Amino acid sequence: MKKIIVPLSLVIMLAFPACQKDDATPTKTAESSSAANAKPQSTFSADVIARLDEFLQTQVYTEGANPKATTPGVILLVDSPQGRYLQAAGVASLEDNTPIKTSDRVEIGSNSKSFTIVLLLQLQEAGILSLDDPLNKWLPGWAAKIPNGAAMTLRQLAQHTSGIWDYGDPIIGQAANNPVHLEDHHSPEQLVQYALDNGTPDFAPGEKGQWKYSNTGYILLGMIIESASGKKLGDLYQSKIFDPLDLETAVFIEGVPEPDEIVDGYWWTEDDGHVLNTTKWNVSQGWAAGGIAMNAEDLLTYGKALSAGKLFQNPDSLAQMLDFNPNGSGGLMPYGLGLIDFTVVGQSGFWGHEGQTAGFQTLWYTNPETKITVVGLSNSASYSAFAFLKVADLLEAETSE
């Protein structure tokens, strides 16, 4: 039985050691050079570009490097009034050494959660549902089976204050402990049932001072969206978000990815440092909690559109997403509705989210006042995408001028 380096889930990490300087800085290799990208985009000053280039290269995995602090391939996109930076370094495949490209598509994991919330709030704007509806209004059968189910609201499920047990690590973590489970398909109903069969509530719904990340809650929200709209979740992502924003690479994956649909993803084991190619992870295990994939440009477009309120008719909808619970991640990362406030960890005014699947870690964050948006993508589940929080600090000299 193999042990994973980090608890794998689509959840936020309570700590982010990769945000701190690691002693094992990998050396630059020909394969990891951003020269592999034909048209790199950098319009910042030479000094800022040099700092961003150096950061990017230190994130690339080389033989003997720390897989918790490095990744086979990395893509960084920074967009601000002062300039734009889009570069990639490393490889899309360790097996054939294919350089990763800035246009490559990756699974974005829990960054999918805000997309799910957008659909939920659009239904609320249409008068079809309310986030303060109880679970039993939309899924009475499940509410009767789930402990405290009748007392849960949609808002509590969205903000991780329902107390419902999280299926994420046990289901998805099986891929590392026993790779035969990598391609296991799970329906939304099976994921919820697994949570009921294997866990107990962490606390009562809405209990004061309590917060616990739960992918199970977002699976229920996806089921509610389908019930309330009469449409499939993937069709709604496409018609309500992907198409209006012209997200050409965005896809909702409901099974094992098609060949070349995404770059290769990886996962290092703790006991022997063995690396697993997890590209064939069955994304049904994430569904409404983490089933979307796209490239950096599309994630940037989405983040900027969300920040500008372009996905809503009523400004209050975005305000509800940005109503952050201070107890998120033990107070380290206040949590709204599918969004994280990064102020406490040193990035004042920035919000966004992190995502992890069986082969990828990603992060995006934006500051509506400074109009800076950062997108970081990696093809390793063992890497900590919170390392991308450093990038805002590297821009400080440029933005203060």
Side-chain angles (χ1 to χ4, degrees), residues 115 245 298-308 351 364 366 373:
F115 290 73
L245 296 182
D298 279 350
L299 189 51
L300 171 75
T301 298
Y302 167 76
K304 293 175 67 174
L306 180 64
S307 175
W351 49 262
W364 75 274
T366 189
T373 303

PDB file of all heavy atoms in Angstrom, residues 115 245 298-308 351 364 366 373:
ATOM      1  N   PHE A 115     -17.967  28.030 -10.318  1.00  0.00           N
ATOM      2  CA  PHE A 115     -18.830  27.867 -11.485  1.00  0.00           C
ATOM      3  C   PHE A 115     -20.186  27.293 -11.051  1.00  0.00           C
ATOM      4  O   PHE A 115     -21.237  27.722 -11.537  1.00  0.00           O
ATOM      5  CB  PHE A 115     -18.183  26.923 -12.499  1.00  0.00           C
ATOM      6  CG  PHE A 115     -16.978  27.475 -13.215  1.00  0.00           C
ATOM      7  CD1 PHE A 115     -15.756  27.614 -12.568  1.00  0.00           C
ATOM      8  CD2 PHE A 115     -17.044  27.833 -14.550  1.00  0.00           C
ATOM      9  CE1 PHE A 115     -14.643  28.101 -13.234  1.00  0.00           C
ATOM     10  CE2 PHE A 115     -15.938  28.325 -15.231  1.00  0.00           C
ATOM     11  CZ  PHE A 115     -14.729  28.469 -14.567  1.00  0.00           C
ATOM     12  N   LEU A 245     -18.946  33.514 -22.229  1.00  0.00           N
ATOM     13  CA  LEU A 245     -17.614  34.088 -22.027  1.00  0.00           C
ATOM     14  C   LEU A 245     -16.620  33.656 -23.109  1.00  0.00           C
ATOM     15  O   LEU A 245     -15.453  34.032 -23.057  1.00  0.00           O
ATOM     16  CB  LEU A 245     -17.066  33.694 -20.652  1.00  0.00           C
ATOM     17  CG  LEU A 245     -17.849  34.215 -19.440  1.00  0.00           C
ATOM     18  CD1 LEU A 245     -17.165  33.789 -18.146  1.00  0.00           C
ATOM     19  CD2 LEU A 245     -18.019  35.733 -19.486  1.00  0.00           C
ATOM     20  N   ASP A 298      -8.459  30.909 -20.468  1.00  0.00           N
ATOM     21  CA  ASP A 298      -9.890  30.817 -20.182  1.00  0.00           C
ATOM     22  C   ASP A 298     -10.184  31.012 -18.700  1.00  0.00           C
ATOM     23  O   ASP A 298     -11.190  31.628 -18.335  1.00  0.00           O
ATOM     24  CB  ASP A 298     -10.445  29.476 -20.671  1.00  0.00           C
ATOM     25  CG  ASP A 298     -10.731  29.484 -22.166  1.00  0.00           C
ATOM     26  OD1 ASP A 298     -10.680  30.570 -22.781  1.00  0.00           O
ATOM     27  OD2 ASP A 298     -10.991  28.405 -22.730  1.00  0.00           O
ATOM     28  N   LEU A 299      -9.301  30.503 -17.842  1.00  0.00           N
ATOM     29  CA  LEU A 299      -9.516  30.707 -16.412  1.00  0.00           C
ATOM     30  C   LEU A 299      -9.354  32.190 -16.059  1.00  0.00           C
ATOM     31  O   LEU A 299     -10.083  32.718 -15.213  1.00  0.00           O
ATOM     32  CB  LEU A 299      -8.552  29.846 -15.597  1.00  0.00           C
ATOM     33  CG  LEU A 299      -8.794  29.787 -14.078  1.00  0.00           C
ATOM     34  CD1 LEU A 299     -10.249  29.449 -13.740  1.00  0.00           C
ATOM     35  CD2 LEU A 299      -7.860  28.777 -13.420  1.00  0.00           C
ATOM     36  N   LEU A 300      -8.420  32.866 -16.717  1.00  0.00           N
ATOM     37  CA  LEU A 300      -8.273  34.312 -16.534  1.00  0.00           C
ATOM     38  C   LEU A 300      -9.541  35.044 -16.980  1.00  0.00           C
ATOM     39  O   LEU A 300     -10.058  35.909 -16.256  1.00  0.00           O
ATOM     40  CB  LEU A 300      -7.081  34.826 -17.332  1.00  0.00           C
ATOM     41  CG  LEU A 300      -6.949  36.354 -17.399  1.00  0.00           C
ATOM     42  CD1 LEU A 300      -6.446  36.907 -16.070  1.00  0.00           C
ATOM     43  CD2 LEU A 300      -6.032  36.786 -18.540  1.00  0.00           C
ATOM     44  N   THR A 301     -10.037  34.699 -18.142  1.00  0.00           N
ATOM     45  CA  THR A 301     -11.243  35.341 -18.658  1.00  0.00           C
ATOM     46  C   THR A 301     -12.406  35.162 -17.697  1.00  0.00           C
ATOM     47  O   THR A 301     -13.157  36.114 -17.411  1.00  0.00           O
ATOM     48  CB  THR A 301     -11.610  34.762 -20.035  1.00  0.00           C
ATOM     49  OG1 THR A 301     -10.552  35.024 -20.955  1.00  0.00           O
ATOM     50  CG2 THR A 301     -12.910  35.361 -20.567  1.00  0.00           C
ATOM     51  N   TYR A 302     -12.558  33.945 -17.182  1.00  0.00           N
ATOM     52  CA  TYR A 302     -13.629  33.675 -16.224  1.00  0.00           C
ATOM     53  C   TYR A 302     -13.456  34.509 -14.962  1.00  0.00           C
ATOM     54  O   TYR A 302     -14.406  35.147 -14.481  1.00  0.00           O
ATOM     55  CB  TYR A 302     -13.652  32.189 -15.867  1.00  0.00           C
ATOM     56  CG  TYR A 302     -14.514  31.890 -14.653  1.00  0.00           C
ATOM     57  CD1 TYR A 302     -15.895  31.883 -14.746  1.00  0.00           C
ATOM     58  CD2 TYR A 302     -13.926  31.633 -13.415  1.00  0.00           C
ATOM     59  CE1 TYR A 302     -16.688  31.622 -13.631  1.00  0.00           C
ATOM     60  CE2 TYR A 302     -14.703  31.382 -12.303  1.00  0.00           C
ATOM     61  CZ  TYR A 302     -16.083  31.378 -12.413  1.00  0.00           C
ATOM     62  OH  TYR A 302     -16.861  31.139 -11.300  1.00  0.00           O
ATOM     63  N   GLY A 303     -12.244  34.523 -14.405  1.00  0.00           N
ATOM     64  CA  GLY A 303     -12.002  35.250 -13.160  1.00  0.00           C
ATOM     65  C   GLY A 303     -12.283  36.734 -13.297  1.00  0.00           C
ATOM     66  O   GLY A 303     -12.893  37.356 -12.416  1.00  0.00           O
ATOM     67  N   LYS A 304     -11.856  37.321 -14.418  1.00  0.00           N
ATOM     68  CA  LYS A 304     -12.096  38.746 -14.632  1.00  0.00           C
ATOM     69  C   LYS A 304     -13.575  39.037 -14.844  1.00  0.00           C
ATOM     70  O   LYS A 304     -14.098  40.048 -14.360  1.00  0.00           O
ATOM     71  CB  LYS A 304     -11.265  39.232 -15.830  1.00  0.00           C
ATOM     72  CG  LYS A 304      -9.762  39.214 -15.585  1.00  0.00           C
ATOM     73  CD  LYS A 304      -8.970  39.578 -16.820  1.00  0.00           C
ATOM     74  CE  LYS A 304      -9.166  41.019 -17.225  1.00  0.00           C
ATOM     75  NZ  LYS A 304      -8.272  41.393 -18.357  1.00  0.00           N
ATOM     76  N   ALA A 305     -14.264  38.151 -15.561  1.00  0.00           N
ATOM     77  CA  ALA A 305     -15.698  38.343 -15.786  1.00  0.00           C
ATOM     78  C   ALA A 305     -16.484  38.220 -14.487  1.00  0.00           C
ATOM     79  O   ALA A 305     -17.414  39.000 -14.226  1.00  0.00           O
ATOM     80  CB  ALA A 305     -16.204  37.324 -16.810  1.00  0.00           C
ATOM     81  N   LEU A 306     -16.108  37.249 -13.667  1.00  0.00           N
ATOM     82  CA  LEU A 306     -16.778  37.081 -12.381  1.00  0.00           C
ATOM     83  C   LEU A 306     -16.565  38.308 -11.514  1.00  0.00           C
ATOM     84  O   LEU A 306     -17.507  38.844 -10.914  1.00  0.00           O
ATOM     85  CB  LEU A 306     -16.244  35.827 -11.674  1.00  0.00           C
ATOM     86  CG  LEU A 306     -16.852  35.519 -10.302  1.00  0.00           C
ATOM     87  CD1 LEU A 306     -18.346  35.223 -10.423  1.00  0.00           C
ATOM     88  CD2 LEU A 306     -16.139  34.336  -9.641  1.00  0.00           C
ATOM     89  N   SER A 307     -15.330  38.796 -11.463  1.00  0.00           N
ATOM     90  CA  SER A 307     -15.001  39.966 -10.660  1.00  0.00           C
ATOM     91  C   SER A 307     -15.783  41.197 -11.107  1.00  0.00           C
ATOM     92  O   SER A 307     -16.165  42.047 -10.290  1.00  0.00           O
ATOM     93  CB  SER A 307     -13.501  40.247 -10.743  1.00  0.00           C
ATOM     94  OG  SER A 307     -13.157  41.432 -10.074  1.00  0.00           O
ATOM     95  N   ALA A 308     -16.036  41.300 -12.410  1.00  0.00           N
ATOM     96  CA  ALA A 308     -16.751  42.450 -12.959  1.00  0.00           C
ATOM     97  C   ALA A 308     -18.271  42.285 -12.876  1.00  0.00           C
ATOM     98  O   ALA A 308     -19.002  43.192 -13.283  1.00  0.00           O
ATOM     99  CB  ALA A 308     -16.330  42.671 -14.402  1.00  0.00           C
ATOM    100  N   TRP A 351      -8.963  37.675  -3.928  1.00  0.00           N
ATOM    101  CA  TRP A 351      -9.795  36.502  -3.693  1.00  0.00           C
ATOM    102  C   TRP A 351      -9.811  35.629  -4.939  1.00  0.00           C
ATOM    103  O   TRP A 351      -9.509  36.082  -6.037  1.00  0.00           O
ATOM    104  CB  TRP A 351     -11.212  36.885  -3.270  1.00  0.00           C
ATOM    105  CG  TRP A 351     -11.916  37.913  -4.125  1.00  0.00           C
ATOM    106  CD1 TRP A 351     -12.024  39.249  -3.879  1.00  0.00           C
ATOM    107  CD2 TRP A 351     -12.632  37.680  -5.348  1.00  0.00           C
ATOM    108  NE1 TRP A 351     -12.760  39.861  -4.878  1.00  0.00           N
ATOM    109  CE2 TRP A 351     -13.141  38.926  -5.790  1.00  0.00           C
ATOM    110  CE3 TRP A 351     -12.888  36.544  -6.111  1.00  0.00           C
ATOM    111  CZ2 TRP A 351     -13.897  39.070  -6.953  1.00  0.00           C
ATOM    112  CZ3 TRP A 351     -13.638  36.675  -7.286  1.00  0.00           C
ATOM    113  CH2 TRP A 351     -14.129  37.923  -7.693  1.00  0.00           C
ATOM    114  N   TRP A 364      -6.123  30.478  -8.853  1.00  0.00           N
ATOM    115  CA  TRP A 364      -6.317  31.785  -9.482  1.00  0.00           C
ATOM    116  C   TRP A 364      -6.784  32.754  -8.408  1.00  0.00           C
ATOM    117  O   TRP A 364      -7.444  32.376  -7.446  1.00  0.00           O
ATOM    118  CB  TRP A 364      -7.335  31.721 -10.631  1.00  0.00           C
ATOM    119  CG  TRP A 364      -8.772  31.603 -10.201  1.00  0.00           C
ATOM    120  CD1 TRP A 364      -9.456  30.469  -9.912  1.00  0.00           C
ATOM    121  CD2 TRP A 364      -9.701  32.689 -10.006  1.00  0.00           C
ATOM    122  NE1 TRP A 364     -10.745  30.752  -9.551  1.00  0.00           N
ATOM    123  CE2 TRP A 364     -10.930  32.109  -9.598  1.00  0.00           C
ATOM    124  CE3 TRP A 364      -9.619  34.078 -10.135  1.00  0.00           C
ATOM    125  CZ2 TRP A 364     -12.066  32.879  -9.323  1.00  0.00           C
ATOM    126  CZ3 TRP A 364     -10.749  34.838  -9.856  1.00  0.00           C
ATOM    127  CH2 TRP A 364     -11.946  34.237  -9.462  1.00  0.00           C
ATOM    128  N   THR A 366      -7.690  37.267  -7.834  1.00  0.00           N
ATOM    129  CA  THR A 366      -7.845  38.569  -8.459  1.00  0.00           C
ATOM    130  C   THR A 366      -8.053  39.645  -7.412  1.00  0.00           C
ATOM    131  O   THR A 366      -8.543  39.365  -6.312  1.00  0.00           O
ATOM    132  CB  THR A 366      -9.025  38.552  -9.453  1.00  0.00           C
ATOM    133  OG1 THR A 366      -9.030  39.761 -10.217  1.00  0.00           O
ATOM    134  CG2 THR A 366     -10.365  38.411  -8.736  1.00  0.00           C
ATOM    135  N   THR A 373      -4.843  40.042 -11.861  1.00  0.00           N
ATOM    136  CA  THR A 373      -5.334  38.661 -11.786  1.00  0.00           C
ATOM    137  C   THR A 373      -4.175  37.724 -12.084  1.00  0.00           C
ATOM    138  O   THR A 373      -3.405  37.950 -13.026  1.00  0.00           O
ATOM    139  CB  THR A 373      -6.468  38.408 -12.794  1.00  0.00           C
ATOM    140  OG1 THR A 373      -7.530  39.339 -12.561  1.00  0.00           O
ATOM    141  CG2 THR A 373      -7.016  36.993 -12.648  1.00  0.00           C
TER     142      THR A 373
END
